[in-house]
Amino acid sequence: MNKDKKNVCIGLLAHVDAGKTTLSEALLYQAGVLKNPGRVDKGDAYLDTFAMEKERGITIFSKQAELALPEASITFLDTPGHVDFSAEMERTLQVLDFALLLVSGTDGVQSHTRTLWQLLRRYRIPPFLFVNKMDLPGKGKDGIMEELRRELSEGCVAFDEGTSALHEELALFDEGLMEQVLETGKLEDAQIAELIASRRVFPCFFGAALRMEGVDELLSALQRYTKEPKYPEAFSAQVYKIARGEKDERLTFLKVTGGTLAVKQVLRGEGWEEKADQLRLYSGNKYTLLQQARAGMVCAVTGLSRT
């Protein structure tokens, strides 16, 4: 992670069959992580690495991908969309700075979409929305926007409008910003990011991930309109997953929420203390070893048996 860049952790959430894996492949491809996007039906998706996931064509376990973009370093955490594995998804919410909520353009807001929305509200996570499959017959953009505002929030705003029209609409959510738009005709990116981070505005984007439509615009927005959280100097971390590596080693996945974590550093819990042997930064099923992880980073730690 680049110290000079903004670093944010974003989770991908969706109702099953909304096209989440297709969108994640498109984002990874456009960000330069992949030479070719994988497909669910071909079993070569970058983040669906387990045999059961390839066999069933669904995401079962949360996975991590690192995107080094021009204006930001983004840790993407892909989560299961199937309701049977919602516990895995909800554990991941504990470490997110933002969420990317996927909505099917053909089906609109579905039952699990509402459940996810309520969870995002409970955990106070600001979401970006991407309406997928807009190349297929459906309710159209106006119909979807009406449904999003009715079913989710009046704060849902289509971010594909022209700059002036978008800024005028966003200014309606804040009296101070209204005065600024009347005077200057525009808002700064940081002001828009603050509206999103405070969950007053929920930006909506439209496209078709399979055709790479709308993906670049979404990536640009995730760089421009996200805020990096402020972290305390004292070390702290949030564990959100325990898994096993290829050699059956125990992996503790955590997000550093304060200070830094270094190799061989002693970690303490309730009634125990152990050393962090390795710090692994995963992207897909591959990882690089770190000497230290700073606040905001998500990594896997070996050597811990009691987390």
Side-chain angles (χ1 to χ4, degrees), residues 271-291:
W272 61 266
E273 60 176 51
E274 295 178 317
K275 285 185 179 179
D277 288 341
Q278 287 184 341
L279 306 182
R280 299 181 180 181
L281 183 65
Y282 273 89
S283 193
N285 60 358
K286 297 181 180 179
Y287 64 86
T288 54
L289 292 176
L290 305 172
Q291 288 303 305

Side-chain angles (χ1 to χ4, degrees), residues 60-291:
I60 297 175
F61 305 102
S62 62
K63 309 288 193 334
Q64 179 175 347
E66 296 294 320
L67 276 62
L69 300 170
E71 299 174 46
S73 294
I74 295 179
T75 296
F76 266 122
L77 295 181
D78 188 20
T79 66
H82 201 288
V83 68
D84 288 353
F85 309 109
S86 57
E88 177 83 0
M89 174 275 301
E90 190 167 351
R91 281 192 291 270
T92 308
L93 295 182
Q94 301 173 80
V95 297
L96 299 184
D97 301 320
F98 294 87
L100 176 52
L101 179 62
L102 194 59
V103 177
S104 169
T106 56
D107 299 315
V109 176
Q110 297 168 276
S111 59
H112 194 52
T113 314
R114 298 185 190 92
T115 300
L116 292 169
W117 190 261
Q118 295 301 326
L119 286 169
L120 292 172
R121 177 186 296 171
R122 181 191 304 171
Y123 286 94
R124 300 293 303 163
I125 300 170
F128 288 71
L129 289 85
F130 185 79
V131 183
N132 194 27
K133 303 183 181 181
M134 291 300 291
D135 56 327
L136 301 176
K139 303 176 183 181
K141 179 190 165 185
D142 291 342
I144 287 288
M145 280 306 304
E146 181 182 341
E147 185 174 347
L148 291 175
R149 289 174 177 145
R150 182 180 69 250
E151 297 286 343
L152 302 182
S153 171
E154 286 290 332
C156 291
V157 175
F159 264 56
D160 61 346
E161 304 290 345
T163 303
S164 298
L166 174 61
H167 287 193
E168 288 174 8
E169 186 171 359
L170 293 176
L172 297 173
F173 292 89
D174 186 280
E175 191 173 323
L177 296 183
M178 176 65 78
E179 293 178 4
Q180 180 177 322
V181 168
L182 290 173
E183 291 177 8
T184 68
K186 65 177 183 177
L187 300 175
E188 301 297 327
D189 284 357
Q191 293 173 311
I192 298 173
E194 182 58 42
L195 283 174
I196 296 169
S198 60
R199 288 179 48 87
R200 285 183 284 172
V201 166
F202 307 103
C204 303
F205 299 86
F206 300 83
L210 194 60
R211 298 173 179 266
M212 298 290 169
E213 295 173 4
V215 177
D216 280 339
E217 292 80 1
L218 178 60
L219 275 176
S220 175
L222 293 177
Q223 294 178 81
R224 293 175 63 186
Y225 302 133
T226 50
K227 283 179 59 179
E228 183 176 26
K230 293 183 179 179
Y231 297 102
E233 293 185 6
F235 170 75
S236 60
Q238 173 72 49
V239 176
Y240 74 97
K241 184 172 77 166
I242 305 294
R244 291 282 174 180
E246 290 184 353
K247 298 179 180 178
D248 202 40
E249 67 275 30
R250 190 175 191 271
L251 301 175
T252 297
F253 285 83
L254 54 79
K255 179 183 180 182
V256 181
T257 53
T260 58
L261 172 61
V263 173
K264 300 303 180 184
Q265 182 173 324
V266 175
L267 300 183
R268 294 177 177 86
E270 293 185 8
W272 61 266
E273 60 176 51
E274 295 178 317
K275 285 185 179 179
D277 288 341
Q278 287 184 341
L279 306 182
R280 299 181 180 181
L281 183 65
Y282 273 89
S283 193
N285 60 358
K286 297 181 180 179
Y287 64 86
T288 54
L289 292 176
L290 305 172
Q291 288 303 305

Side-chain angles (χ1 to χ4, degrees), residues 30-60:
Q30 294 297 83
V33 177
L34 302 179
K35 292 183 178 179
N36 295 293
R39 293 279 296 267
V40 175
D41 53 355
K42 293 181 180 178
D44 61 352
Y46 183 75
L47 292 173
D48 289 344
T49 55
F50 287 85
M52 192 185 305
E53 293 176 312
K54 294 179 180 180
E55 180 183 334
R56 297 184 61 178
I58 59 173
T59 301
I60 297 175

